[in-house]
Amino acid sequence: PDLRSPAIQIKLSNGTTVTDFRYESHEIYKGKRNLKGLPATYVENEDEAETIEITLKDKLANLRVILTYTVFENYDAITRSCKVINDSNEEVDILRILSTSVDFRHSDFDLIQLSGSWARERHIIRTPLRNGVQAIESRRGASSHAQNPFIALVSQDATEDKGEVYGFNLIYSGNFLANVEVDMHSNARAQIGINPFDFTWNLESGQEFQTPEAVMVYSPNGLTGMSHIYHDLYRERLCRGIYRDKDRPILINNWEATYFDFNSEKIKEIAKGSSELGIELFVLDDGWFGKRDNDDCSLGDWFVNEEKIQGGLNSLATSINEMGMQFGLWFEPEMISPNSILYKEHPDWCIHIDGRLRSEARRQLILDLSRDEVCDAVIEMLTDILKSAPISYVKWDMNRNMTEIGSPAWPAKKQKEVAHRYMLGLYKILENITTNFPNILFEICSGGGGRFDGGMLYYMPQTWTSDDTDAIERLKIQEGTSLVYPASTMGSHVSAVPN
């Protein structure tokens, strides 16, 4: 028997977790289909890729699993995802469902991971494989500052330009697990997917569950060979929109110059000096909305503070346009301040468990994007602002991790779905906003680089790499990031030194 960690574990209606999925059929077709509600790599015409869907069936439980593999004509990459379909008349609970699982007949590898912390993201860590399990994961509701949803198994002699490299990257922005297990016979199994920690998906009769996509790359030419494959694929067939193939504008952001202490005249003064230096885009950061004079209020109140921005955003943006610069704006749309109008009107709209402490980080809570009405409200508020002025750029921030994860909108049996449903809600919002405002350049930020992943790059072609803008410390951050993600996706600032 195979006693290693499974890629899939399902609790049946009789309480057992034994399944027996066997080959039923397969379909091969040109091109690549979208994943419902999830970001993924894509093709622009069907001749660019070929896909095989393999259907497995557990006849006793009446469940199907569809494994989807795509190979690309122009990129040496294979994508893999998994779908479970419940054809039975009973509910089942998915306890574990990883996006890919690959077995090797030996374990003569080093494991490479990208790990760190806030302001020290994605440092390269390389360790030999050993018997047992080595894993990285996020349980924070985001791909996180601490770990990145990427691992590589590399031959022990691998360098930048020689040796074998197998890369695994998950196109997902939430809780993940990347796991390598070496058994008693020195075989290695590599897996990556949604983290089983605090996850259960109640799959009712007739329903299906789709995993995120894993992107697997093999290079016989060392780490650089692997990186070039990821870079080309992600730059050309993961990022989307008009900015995908364009040079990005040089921008200045007022945050370190003013923090919350600004008004229209001070902003125009900074913009005028920036324009004379040839800077192309001015970004107005935190503090322009609600009653936001510090970080203890107003998240969720997305209307202009006209005491600071006299005449409103349209007037300010037009003035900056007349200086020859584009105008951009900071948002933190996924958050809500307890001290806000929105919270007073909808205290149940945050992620919380009734009767439990609603612990705050940065004096804020997280909106419950597992709920359609909350997602719709966020879309409406953002749409109103983005229509109100000539806005060319949005910095989309997210500054805290999830705690006390729960939602009164869902029954008890679905509470462990909330973290993933949040991601599906966020992706729904991003799809709506980026589609309806195709001429805006969106940049994702998560307290710096806390959500630098392929899921976000599908909607926004660049990420604020780290809040640490010290040039020397950025060397390790950007080296690790560039192992997987293209240079065009990495946002960098010139700022005060030391920082």
Side-chain angles (χ1 to χ4, degrees), residues 18 31 33 35 39 73 83 265 339 358 371 376 381 465:
V18 175
R33 295 168 184 161
L35 296 188
E73 180 70 27
K83 183 191 294 183
E265 293 312 308
N339 182 12
R358 301 184 184 191
R371 302 171 65 162
D376 292 343
M381 288 186 285
T465 311

Side-chain angles (χ1 to χ4, degrees), residues 9-226:
Q9 185 182 32
I10 298 175
K11 188 171 83 170
L12 306 177
S13 59
N14 63 7
T16 67
T17 55
V18 175
T19 51
D20 184 10
F21 288 104
R22 305 216 173 190
Y23 173 85
E24 181 181 60
S25 63
H26 71 273
E27 177 190 4
I28 298 173
Y29 56 88
K30 285 190 169 185
K32 186 176 191 290
R33 295 168 184 161
N34 293 333
L35 296 188
K36 183 180 179 182
L38 287 165
T41 55
Y42 60 89
V43 295
E44 293 189 337
N45 68 72
E46 65 176 20
D47 293 328
E48 292 181 4
E50 198 167 38
T51 298
I52 181 169
E53 293 187 354
I54 303 169
T55 299
L56 311 175
K57 184 160 186 175
D58 183 322
K59 291 182 178 178
L60 182 63
N62 207 10
L63 301 173
R64 279 181 293 152
V65 169
I66 299 176
L67 307 178
T68 301
Y69 296 85
T70 296
V71 294
F72 295 87
E73 180 70 27
N74 299 321
Y75 312 96
D76 292 330
I78 299 173
T79 65
R80 205 264 212 178
S81 65
C82 173
K83 183 191 294 183
V84 180
I85 303 169
N86 184 2
D87 294 322
S88 76
N89 295 320
E90 308 283 346
E91 294 181 358
V92 300
D93 288 329
I94 301 172
L95 307 180
R96 179 185 182 95
I97 182 163
L98 302 181
S99 295
T100 196
S101 181
V102 178
D103 290 345
F104 297 87
R105 292 178 180 269
H106 67 90
S107 58
D108 299 326
F109 292 115
D110 289 346
L111 170 67
I112 290 180
Q113 64 195 70
L114 302 177
S115 303
S117 65
W118 175 78
R120 192 168 48 82
E121 296 90 348
R122 289 173 303 286
H123 284 207
I124 297 172
I125 296 175
R126 180 170 176 168
T127 51
L129 282 192
R130 50 174 167 71
N131 269 43
V133 175
Q134 288 159 273
I136 60 167
E137 61 181 334
S138 173
R139 301 182 297 272
R140 301 166 177 234
S143 49
S144 87
H145 296 274
Q147 308 292 351
N148 192 264
F150 164 81
I151 55 171
L153 295 182
V154 305
S155 57
Q156 291 168 345
D157 63 348
T159 64
E160 281 292 338
D161 55 9
K162 73 177 183 71
E164 291 195 303
V165 179
Y166 297 87
F168 301 83
N169 190 213
L170 190 66
I171 308 298
Y172 188 62
S173 310
N175 295 332
F176 75 90
L177 171 70
N179 177 77
V180 183
E181 182 172 0
V182 178
D183 70 9
M184 66 186 84
H185 305 296
S186 296
N187 300 308
R189 170 174 288 177
Q191 300 174 322
I192 195 167
I194 292 174
N195 198 334
F197 172 81
D198 211 25
F199 169 85
T200 300
W201 193 273
N202 178 251
L203 195 66
E204 297 173 12
S205 175
Q207 290 189 343
E208 61 185 43
F209 180 86
Q210 173 66 57
T211 73
E213 180 172 274
V215 180
M216 299 177 286
V217 165
Y218 168 74
S219 167
N221 301 312
L223 293 170
T224 297
M226 178 199 69

Side-chain angles (χ1 to χ4, degrees), residues 185-416:
H185 305 296
S186 296
N187 300 308
R189 170 174 288 177
Q191 300 174 322
I192 195 167
I194 292 174
N195 198 334
F197 172 81
D198 211 25
F199 169 85
T200 300
W201 193 273
N202 178 251
L203 195 66
E204 297 173 12
S205 175
Q207 290 189 343
E208 61 185 43
F209 180 86
Q210 173 66 57
T211 73
E213 180 172 274
V215 180
M216 299 177 286
V217 165
Y218 168 74
S219 167
N221 301 312
L223 293 170
T224 297
M226 178 199 69
S227 296
H228 285 178
I229 297 167
Y230 274 122
H231 291 183
D232 291 346
L233 177 63
Y234 287 0
R235 191 175 57 246
E236 298 167 9
R237 292 296 180 267
L238 178 64
C239 295
R240 301 181 299 166
I242 65 168
Y243 285 96
R244 184 190 74 179
D245 305 318
K246 282 186 177 182
D247 289 342
R248 313 287 163 70
I250 299 168
L251 67 85
I252 187 167
N253 182 305
N254 70 292
W255 179 245
E256 290 179 2
T258 67
Y259 296 102
F260 293 104
D261 183 18
F262 61 82
N263 55 32
S264 295
E265 293 312 308
K266 188 182 284 190
I267 295 300
K268 289 177 187 177
E269 185 181 335
I270 296 170
K272 185 173 184 296
S274 305
S275 173
E276 291 167 357
L277 291 171
I279 292 172
E280 300 161 312
L281 167 65
F282 183 93
V283 179
L284 181 61
D285 210 280
D286 196 355
W288 58 268
F289 56 93
K291 298 181 178 179
R292 184 85 163 170
D293 292 320
N294 52 52
D295 65 5
D296 70 356
C297 69
S298 296
L299 289 174
D301 297 342
W302 298 111
F303 55 86
V304 178
N305 181 337
E306 297 215 12
E307 290 182 16
K308 287 184 175 181
I309 311 298
Q310 296 85 1
L313 283 179
N314 187 59
S315 174
L316 178 61
T318 301
S319 296
I320 288 174
N321 289 165
E322 289 169 354
M323 299 176 194
M325 301 173 71
Q326 297 173 295
F327 179 74
L329 203 57
W330 176 96
F331 286 95
E332 195 171 4
E334 300 167 61
M335 301 295 150
I336 184 170
S337 302
N339 182 12
S340 67
I341 295 170
L342 185 65
Y343 189 81
K344 290 179 175 66
E345 292 176 349
H346 298 284
D348 62 326
W349 273 16
C350 63
I351 286 178
H352 71 283
I353 299 169
D354 285 339
R356 295 289 183 189
L357 174 71
R358 301 184 184 191
S359 62
E360 298 174 23
R362 284 176 54 102
R363 301 176 181 144
Q364 61 197 51
L365 301 166
I366 303 178
L367 283 170
D368 184 359
L369 301 187
S370 75
R371 302 171 65 162
D372 284 339
E373 66 271 29
V374 178
C375 293
D376 292 343
V378 171
I379 289 169
E380 183 179 357
M381 288 186 285
L382 292 180
T383 298
D384 288 346
I385 290 291
L386 295 177
K387 281 183 174 178
S388 72
I391 295 166
S392 302
Y393 164 100
V394 165
K395 180 180 180 182
W396 185 296
D397 211 345
M398 182 266 200
N399 275 305
R400 66 154 294 180
N401 298 129
M402 290 187 189
T403 56
E404 299 98 36
I405 301 173
S407 171
W410 298 97
K413 65 184 179 181
K414 291 186 176 291
Q415 285 301 310
K416 288 192 175 185

